[in-house]
Amino acid sequence: MTFSLKPQNTGSTNNAPTVDWAKINKQVITDNHTAIISQIVDLGEHTPPLSANIDKSTEFDTQEEAEALLEQVSEMLKKSDFEKVKITEQNGKFVVNAQVRQAKDRQEIAVFADLVDNIVDYGDNIGEKPYRVLLNKTWKGDIRGLGLAVVPPQNQGGVWTFAGNSMLTELAKVTKQNTITDGSVKSDLNNIGLILGKALMVDIVSGDFVNVKGISTVPSALLKTIDYSLVNPVGISFDNATPELLREAGIRGSIIKKIKQANNYQGSNMQKAIEAFEKDHNGVVNNQPEQPKQEVKQEPKAKATPQKVEEVDASCPF
């Protein structure tokens, strides 16, 4: 299996099965599960939300402008940082020791893992399969894409790669695909597609909702117990997307919704694939409700130049 994905520049339908999440959730055990990265989906290029920090100050001509910024950052900063933010008057200017920043547009992805040691009965024509979890965070039903962007080397002789504290770096580490970030194999550098089909541990807390608490490396003693035949890993990029591949993945309605919001969606190969896929489904995507949260086949390579930078879904759960 080969899937390459690197950073780039810069309704319901009668055919959709109904998923009873309450029934399914009762089958998910709170535990640290063996899992396999089952799906990586290129979400396209998105504009990140505004962020705030207290490393730099912002200067205004009027107090009203300064107070407006104060109110704005109050919703962006954690409480301990916001308590340090003040307005001071300096040389006739009003200075706020905080700054709002708009990050550059970035390519984003979604990553799913199948809990191979926790088989559940999804019912209808889906049947028994490993429980599938989205490793991205969600907020009010919207998926937060994992930013496929690289940062400058942290040490002399280092390489441009994903930030050390990013989820992508953690995924590379726990799946033991260290060549993605260490630069030892040039062709592997920043190729997050290498984690597809690899094993990891996914710590799950199950109740009314099923939440991912964390991820880690599979202990050696458990590696031999993993049944890889339970999962058919699928990688979908803007380059290799086809209606057949979207169907094979059981693409979620929320994922398609996120992709359609991408800045580079219009006129793309992905748009053609999604529109053909939707046409096959009578013009309606399976807008299956995502499992609510609180808080492959060999594919063509998707070569690209690294970008350098300063739920609810009521049908198919896949």
Side-chain angles (χ1 to χ4, degrees), residues 169 172-184 188-189:
T169 296
K173 180 179 179 181
V174 302
T175 57
K176 295 185 176 181
Q177 303 302 303
N178 297 317
T179 56
I180 293 174
T181 57
D182 65 16
S184 61
D188 290 355
L189 183 62

Side-chain angles (χ1 to χ4, degrees), residues 14 33 40-42 53 93 95 107 128 130 132 134 141 143 152 195 197 211 214 216 247 265 272 274 297 308:
N14 293 331
H33 294 272
I40 301 175
V41 183
D42 185 353
N53 63 69
K93 299 286 186 179
V95 179
Q107 187 181 0
E128 295 186 346
R132 179 165 294 176
L134 174 66
I143 295 172
I195 70 172
N211 293 299
S216 58
R247 189 179 306 110
Y265 176 71
K272 294 177 183 177
I274 287 177
K297 293 181 177 180
K308 299 181 180 181

Side-chain angles (χ1 to χ4, degrees), residues 61-80:
D61 293 326
T62 67
Q63 184 171 349
E64 288 76 14
E65 292 174 305
E67 290 174 347
L69 178 67
L70 195 67
E71 182 177 354
Q72 184 180 19
V73 301
S74 68
E75 300 178 358
M76 300 179 179
L77 296 170
K78 59 184 180 181
K79 184 178 179 181
S80 59

Side-chain angles (χ1 to χ4, degrees), residues 16-28 120-127 131 207-210 288-292 312-317:
T18 299
V19 174
D20 184 347
W21 282 115
K23 182 179 180 180
I24 292 172
N25 288 349
K26 291 178 181 178
Q27 303 173 60
V28 181
V120 300
D121 185 358
Y122 282 103
D124 291 321
N125 59 351
I126 299 176
Y131 187 84
D208 293 334
F209 302 95
V210 175
Q288 58 272 48
E290 301 295 338
Q291 164 58 36
V312 181
D313 240 339
S315 50
C316 177

Side-chain angles (χ1 to χ4, degrees), residues 1 36-40 193-199 228 231 233-234:
M1 175 200 318
I36 294 173
I37 300 296
S38 56
Q39 200 172 110
I40 301 175
L194 294 175
I195 70 172
L196 187 64
K198 300 302 187 294
Y228 287 88
V231 179
V234 177

